[in-house]
Amino acid sequence: MTGEAGEFVARRLSSGIPFYFLPTGKFRSLRLSLFFLRDLRPESVTETALLPEVLIRGSRRHPDLRAVHRRLDELYGADLAVNVQKHGEAESVGWHLDLPEERYLQGGEGLTGQALDFLAEMVLEPYMEEGRLSARYVDQEKVNLARRQQALINEKGRYSLLRCIEAMFAGEPYALSKWGRPEDLPGIDAERLSASFRELLASAPRVLIGVGQGPVDRIEAELERRLERLRPEALKPLEGTRAAEPRGGQPRVVTEEQPVAQGKLVLGFRTGVQIGDPDYDPLVVANGVLGGFSHSKLFRNVREKASLAYYAYSFLDASKGVAFIQAGIEPPDYHRALQIVLEQVEAVKRGEVSDEELETTKLRLFNQLRESTDSPDALIHQALEETLWGIRRSLPERLEAIARVGREDLVRAFQRVELDTIYYLTATGQKEALGLA
């Protein structure tokens, strides 16, 4: 893994926790992320969604958000955030600390150590009442999480994608949303969430990833002193997430009606190709030709030539070996739009890709890869994914892999792709009119 300014240095703290750090002069701040990994499971997915939001409400010495923010202000405007990310059939709980490099601050000596003290306190010593997380904070964050879950239903594009995934992987962990399940919230209280927190600290694999000016030895030494209480749990590659192999047979069709003005079409494909597969890079290029950019087939033929879609694009989730196409269309245009979308898929499978399409796609992918090195967030995300998959590739290696993809490689990879599910969210009363009832 690498940024253009250099490569990530791999270390292991004396406590056994893996630590990856990219020393670079590109940024005048230090970004450090601590990730805990969990399997994606129905019985814990909602607790995992709720837990970081409660933990960041306060710590033993800073018991509420006002005190937390006051301390961050004292640390020269440092920022501390939490999030949950889905990685195939696993998920991560991430703590992200951003602070200015102390060398640029008058009187900033020792800032890194002080900020890491604060991070360690927030992670290891959350605000407790009678030995458990605050019931008041838990109840408040349950309300906030319920609102976010409801907001997903109101975001019809994202909602349609989640519904397509639920249909494709019904009964499997990948069908779960990182936001959890609304029906779980009433059963979660402070006692149960405290047990989930203790389990996370006791057994969840964890990794530290940082980007900054370093030097790495100094950052490592600072971490050693603050996080020695974190017990090591080996971070294993995501061997448990199997690629979604084609299942054969006809694609399932799922149609739903709601009072919407614009229909949402989602096509879910099984690719059988995950990160590390020899066909991974050819599939990335094939996706770019199909629907990754504004010059791609979907955009040009569905949106611009046929004027049938407000948007039309495709993307991959290589952690599971799946691909999706999404398009916003007028309800009566369903059949015509679907036909043209599928024609573009078959055209890529047949290798009907012009030299201009292939070369333009590669140039756009090169730009994406290079631009990702301008963002500490993107660098850390890439490093985490590669760590989870047990893969290490430098930026030049990634660029070279894309450059080597020829039309025959692209066709070979895309012929492994099989349409699994067609999901369509349409206006109330349209299913019968479209012959989908």
Side-chain angles (χ1 to χ4, degrees), residues 281-344:
D281 292 302
L283 188 64
V284 169
V285 177
N287 175 66
V289 169
L290 174 65
F293 303 105
S294 58
H295 71 273
S296 302
K297 290 180 179 294
L298 289 176
F299 187 87
R300 288 189 293 108
N301 293 293
V302 183
R303 186 180 186 278
E304 293 199 330
K305 287 185 181 177
S307 299
L308 286 174
Y310 297 95
Y311 60 84
Y313 60 87
S314 63
F315 64 95
L316 304 174
D317 182 353
S319 67
K320 182 60 181 172
V322 290
F324 297 95
I325 291 175
Q326 289 193 262
I329 59 178
E330 292 290 338
D333 293 332
Y334 168 78
H335 291 292
R336 180 62 179 146
L338 177 61
Q339 177 190 345
I340 297 178
V341 166
L342 294 177
E343 286 173 357
Q344 308 317 304

Side-chain angles (χ1 to χ4, degrees), residues 12 26 43 48 74 83 142 156 160 184 214 221 264 270 286 292 300 326 351 385 391 406:
R12 188 172 290 275
K26 292 183 74 171
E43 59 270 25
T48 303
E74 292 168 353
N83 70 350
K142 283 170 62 176
K156 298 307 180 188
S160 299
D184 293 337
K264 305 295 182 186
R270 293 172 180 264
R300 288 189 293 108
Q326 289 193 262
E385 290 286 336
I391 292 170

Side-chain angles (χ1 to χ4, degrees), residues 49 93 121 124 131-132 189 306 325 406:
V93 176
E121 178 189 324
L124 299 170
R132 63 189 178 193
D189 58 16
I325 291 175

